[in-house]
């Protein structure tokens, strides 16, 4: 109480007795539970509702050195990192990101840095959008 937090939007059922995915636990349960809800997307009212709830396990304290404006990017940045983490894109794949909104820019930044870390010859992602300045 009284702390700034950001929340993980994926909520698994945590019913280890009847859910094989949740019985395994960890990140797999959070993202792959067949009974999961997703804040503002799937069977869980989002931030446009008057009040919302999340389990304590889904909350992460925002360090004092991080502004509220930057903390607001925690969830979309985590989504961008999840793409690299899941390895759905191989190092030699050419990637096109359609849309230069906040999430598209974050994905381009994360995948671009990931490609750079893999060395010479790894294709960089290409961002397509409506705003030439981006």
């Amino acid at each position: 109480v009284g702390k700034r937090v950001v929340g993980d939007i994926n909520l698994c059922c945590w019913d280890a007795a009847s859910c094989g995915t949740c019985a395994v636990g960890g990140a797999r349960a959070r993202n792959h539970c067949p009974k999961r809800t997703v804040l503002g997307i799937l069977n869980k009212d989002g931030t446009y509702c008057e009040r919302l709830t999340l389990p304590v396990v889904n909350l992460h304290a925002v360090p004092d050195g991080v502004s509220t404006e930057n903390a607001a990017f925690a969830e979309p940045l985590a989504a961008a990192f999840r793409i690299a983490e899941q390895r759905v894109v191989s190092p030699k794949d050419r990637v096109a990101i359609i849309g230069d909104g906040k999430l598209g820019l974050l994905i381009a930044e994360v995948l671009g840095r990931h490609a750079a870390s893999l060395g010479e010859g790894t294709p960089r992602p290409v961002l397509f959008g409506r705003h030439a300045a981006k």
Side-chain angles (χ1 to χ4, degrees):
V1 175
K3 292 183 181 180
R4 294 181 313 140
V5 295
V6 294
D8 184 339
I9 66 172
N10 294 291
L11 294 92
C12 60
C13 74
W14 293 110
D15 185 3
S18 68
C19 178
T21 304
C22 287
V24 173
R28 179 141 182 86
R30 183 186 77 224
N31 293 311
H32 299 285
C33 170
K35 300 177 195 173
R36 86 179 200 280
T37 60
V38 183
L39 182 68
I41 299 172
L42 180 65
N43 299 324
K44 176 82 172 152
D45 287 340
T47 57
Y48 287 124
C49 62
E50 188 173 326
R51 294 186 179 154
L52 63 90
T53 60
L54 286 173
V56 171
V57 70
N58 283 55
L59 301 178
H60 308 282
V62 176
D64 291 337
V66 176
S67 71
T68 299
E69 291 78 11
N70 285 340
F73 285 95
E75 194 283 327
L77 185 58
F81 273 105
R82 189 85 174 116
I83 294 168
E85 183 181 89
Q86 289 179 325
R87 296 189 177 129
V88 295
V89 178
S90 78
K92 298 298 178 188
D93 286 343
R94 297 181 65 200
V95 176
I97 300 162
I98 311 297
D100 58 0
K102 290 178 177 77
L103 184 57
L105 291 171
L106 288 170
I107 292 169
E109 183 71 23
V110 168
L111 292 183
R113 287 176 183 250
H114 181 66
S117 75
L118 297 175
E120 192 69 31
T122 304
R124 304 298 192 268
V126 178
L127 179 68
F128 294 93
R130 297 181 184 167
H131 306 93
K134 293 183 177 182

